Amino acid sequence: MTPRPITDELVCLKQAVDLLKVAEDLVQPENIENYPGAIASVIRTARTLVEEVIEALTAHFAKR
């Protein structure tokens, strides 16, 4: 039987995708000029979530 992905990690990945969609919406010329910190923060948070998922999955599958 194929191992199933961990539910919490799937939720984190979904959150990261949602954050990247927000970032995509924010990346308009007027927003880049007015809210560069907010855009960077959204992207940083998404990256952190993905890094945490990779770490957790690596640890999970290393146990096998």
Side-chain angles (χ1 to χ4, degrees), residues 3-13 53 56-61:
R4 295 186 52 154
I6 303 168
T7 303
D8 290 346
E9 279 64 30
L10 290 175
V11 170
C12 284
L13 285 176
V53 168
L57 290 174
T58 300
H60 174 76
F61 288 110

Side-chain angles (χ1 to χ4, degrees), residues 11-55:
V11 170
C12 284
L13 285 176
K14 173 72 169 94
Q15 290 172 342
V17 168
D18 290 344
L19 285 169
L20 290 171
K21 288 178 182 177
V22 169
E24 185 178 26
D25 290 341
L26 287 174
V27 181
Q28 302 299 321
E30 65 277 4
N31 291 337
I32 292 171
E33 192 173 299
N34 295 322
Y35 308 106
I39 296 166
S41 177
V42 168
I43 293 168
R44 235 182 342 269
T45 301
R47 186 194 72 218
T48 300
L49 283 170
V50 171
E51 290 170 344
E52 289 175 1
V53 168
I54 290 170
E55 185 178 313

